[in-house]
């Protein structure tokens, strides 16, 4: 399932996840690791290629994130982007210093070496996204300049014999017109990846692994009706059928008719072989939220009460062998377990073991996927499109949209308004665009 691997080494850049997503769009599996990752671990993974991300530091400063010279001597192709390009040159003997003119935004890049493998089928003049205070003034020994801009003498450079490539701009962002061509040229051309990372193979292999792992065990899943938990539930259902029990807590803060929609898909009349339990706890949540007006306090109450309700249902079911979580790859990265970027989702229970359910182990079938890949898996599994492409929705639901105290009447008003808004968005043909990027 992961026959080829490209590693993204994160130096604190804001686009680290986007770089990995772009590599996967080339149908090549990709993972993100911190620049602190031990070199021996990287070697053991046997990646076909390595990409160094951007970052906010100056590579020549003493305490800036760095890497060893040995990284560039593994015989593995390396592509440095922005800070990664500067660091490559700095470590290998080039000169990087503060730029006379800072470049930021869309910038015309002039390709000097049309025969470069990175620039195959790329225009001689191409628009790219720049964001840098420093610049490469002298390339390291063995490198040649392959592109420049009006203010940047080294927009790109390469050492073909060593398989090392440096790009000063960001090919991963949409503003770089031919960025995907360049990344594809590196991943498929330079690294020699064949591009066999496809969702149909992921689904087939995942179902097989889950079936082998679970055996005759019992599995419990907290089903929210959102994309991640729904796809995880259907994948488990396909693998183990009625050994799976899904608990759906309707806290009364869902979108209009959403609770009934979830039940129609996963309940007794639905198409999936699983045990479905719907808990109608609307009044319980409204009671807990009575008199509460502070947004963060409301969010915490909703989260705590959800756990209490789920815990009560879990105790009724009794001991299970596995608990399913709809963790996806951004949850892993943003929880500080992958890459170097700031922790964004410290609340997310990635790989954790909740003490309110009696079980042995967690199953996270989507842990290695980005959201767009989860949706592709959902389609592969035959989940209805309206559910697969449902707009992202926060765990506290409409509770976070209501100003002041949450009441049943206010919820109904917001549900109706939200339904009208979503209907108009769909009528305008924008429902697959807004909120998906």
């Amino acid at each position: 399932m992961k026959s080829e691997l490209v590693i993204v080494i994160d130096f604190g850049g804001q686009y680290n996840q986007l770089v990995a997503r772009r590599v996967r769009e080339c149908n090549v599996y990709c993972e993100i690791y911190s620049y602190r990752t031990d070199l021996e671990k990287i070697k053991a993974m046997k990646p076909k290629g390595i990409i160094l991300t951007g970052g906010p530091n100056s590579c020549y400063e003493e305490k800036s994130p760095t890497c060893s010279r040995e990284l560039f001597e593994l015989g593995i192709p390396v592509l440095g982007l922005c800070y990664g390009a500067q660091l490559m040159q700095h470590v290998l003997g080039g000169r990087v210093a503060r730029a006379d003119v800072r470049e930021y935004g869309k910038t015309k890049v002039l390709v000097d070496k049309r025969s470069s493998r990175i620039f195959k089928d790329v225009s001689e003049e191409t628009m790219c996204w720049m964001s840098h205070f420093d610049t490469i003034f002298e390339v390291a020994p063995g490198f040649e300049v392959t592109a420049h801009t009006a203010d940047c003498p080294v927009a790109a450079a390469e050492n073909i014999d060593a398989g090392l490539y440096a790009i000063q701009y960001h090919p991963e962002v949409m503003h770089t017109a031919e960025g995907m061509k360049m990344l594809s040229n590196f991943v498929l051309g330079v690294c020699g990846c064949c591009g066999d990372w496809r969702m149909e193979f992921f689904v087939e292999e995942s179902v097989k692994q889950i079936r082998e792992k679970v055996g005759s065990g019992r599995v419990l899943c907290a089903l929210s009706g959102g994309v991640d938990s729904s796809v995880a539930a259907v994948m488990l259902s396909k693998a183990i059928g009625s050994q799976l029990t899904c608990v759906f807590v309707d806290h009364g803060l869902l979108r209009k008719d959403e609770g009934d929609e979830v039940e129609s898909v996963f309940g007794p009349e639905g198409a999936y072989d699983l045990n479905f339990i719907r808990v109608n706890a609307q009044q319980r949540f409204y009671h807990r939220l009575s008199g509460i007006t502070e947004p963060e306090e409301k969010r915490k109450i909703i989260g705590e009460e959800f756990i209490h309700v789920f815990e009560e249902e879990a105790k009724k079911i009794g001991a299970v062998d596995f608990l399913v979580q709809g963790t996806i790859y951004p949850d892993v990265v943003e929880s500080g377990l992958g890459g170097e970027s700031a922790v964004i989702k410290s609340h997310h229970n990635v790989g954790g073991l909740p003490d309110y359910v009696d079980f042995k182990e967690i199953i996270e079938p989507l842990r290695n996927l980005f959201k767009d890949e989860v949706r592709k898996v959902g389609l592969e599994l035959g989940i209805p499109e309206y559910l697969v492409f449902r707009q992202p929705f926060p765990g506290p639901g409409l509770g976070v949209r209501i100003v002041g105290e949450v009441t049943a009447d206010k919820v109904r008003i917001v549900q109706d308004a939200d339904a009208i808004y979503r209907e108009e968005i769909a009528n305008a043909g924008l429902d697959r665009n807004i909120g998906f990027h």
Side-chain angles (χ1 to χ4, degrees), residues 33-49:
Y33 291 91
S34 165
Y35 72 90
R36 305 170 196 267
T37 304
D38 186 82
L39 190 64
E40 291 303 313
K41 180 178 179 180
I42 292 175
K43 289 167 64 176
M45 289 186 281
K46 299 180 179 179
K48 298 273 286 186

Side-chain angles (χ1 to χ4, degrees), residues 62-328:
E62 186 177 348
K63 294 184 179 180
S64 292
T66 190
C67 62
S68 67
R69 187 184 185 93
E70 286 75 19
L71 178 70
F72 304 108
E73 298 173 344
L74 298 175
I76 300 169
V78 181
L79 172 64
L81 307 179
C82 198
Y83 179 86
Q86 296 168 2
L87 181 63
M88 176 188 290
Q89 298 305 306
H90 175 69
V91 170
L92 296 177
R95 185 171 72 89
V96 179
R98 182 68 62 171
D100 297 325
V101 178
R102 180 197 179 191
E103 287 184 318
Y104 181 81
K106 291 183 178 180
T107 305
K108 184 186 293 185
V109 170
L110 305 173
V111 176
D112 299 309
K113 185 180 179 182
R114 300 298 304 282
S115 62
S116 169
R117 297 177 76 180
I118 291 294
F119 294 122
K120 179 183 178 183
D121 297 326
V122 173
S123 307
E124 188 172 357
E125 294 184 2
T126 186
M127 198 62 70
C128 300
W129 185 261
M130 287 283 191
S131 178
H132 63 102
F133 280 105
D134 297 327
T135 196
I136 302 164
F137 285 99
E138 294 178 13
V139 295
F143 281 81
E144 64 174 315
V145 178
T146 56
H148 71 281
T149 74
D151 296 304
C152 181
V154 184
E158 65 185 23
N159 182 334
I160 299 175
D161 294 337
L164 305 178
Y165 298 82
I167 294 179
Q168 178 58 71
Y169 48 88
H170 291 278
E172 68 274 18
V173 302
M174 293 177 62
H175 302 300
T176 297
E178 298 177 275
M180 269 305 296
K181 283 184 185 178
M182 300 173 201
L183 287 174
S184 177
N185 285 339
F186 175 73
V187 172
L188 302 179
V190 175
C191 299
C193 295
C194 63
D196 60 357
W197 167 250
R198 300 182 186 277
M199 288 303 102
E200 59 264 35
F201 301 130
F202 173 85
V203 170
E204 181 180 340
E205 184 65 21
S206 295
V207 168
K208 178 183 175 183
Q209 290 179 358
I210 292 169
R211 193 173 289 140
E212 292 174 353
K213 185 183 188 72
V214 172
S216 59
R218 299 174 65 201
V219 182
L220 177 63
C221 174
L223 179 63
S224 70
V227 177
D228 302 335
S229 68
S230 295
V231 172
V234 172
M235 185 176 288
L236 266 292
S237 170
K238 186 176 179 67
I240 60 170
S242 59
Q243 293 168 243
L244 171 68
T245 297
C246 291
V247 175
F248 169 55
V249 178
D250 187 345
H251 50 34
L253 301 168
L254 298 170
R255 289 167 285 204
K256 186 173 183 179
D257 300 327
E258 191 166 47
D260 293 338
E261 289 176 1
V262 173
E263 184 170 2
S264 69
V265 173
F266 295 100
E269 305 303 319
Y272 302 107
D273 181 19
L274 52 84
N275 300 304
F276 177 81
I277 298 173
R278 177 176 179 176
V279 184
N280 293 310
Q282 296 92 333
Q283 296 306 317
R284 178 171 171 170
F285 277 85
Y286 297 157
H287 177 73
R288 280 293 315 277
L289 292 167
S290 177
I292 306 300
T293 59
E294 204 279 318
E296 182 64 12
E297 187 177 359
K298 288 192 287 186
R299 188 189 70 79
K300 289 181 178 178
I301 288 173
I302 294 167
E304 290 170 358
E305 195 63 21
F306 182 92
I307 290 175
H308 292 155
V309 175
F310 185 71
E311 177 184 11
E312 292 169 10
E313 293 302 318
K315 287 180 177 178
K316 294 177 187 176
I317 296 168
V320 295
D321 299 287
F322 301 92
L323 178 68
V324 178
Q325 286 189 172
T327 306
I328 63 175

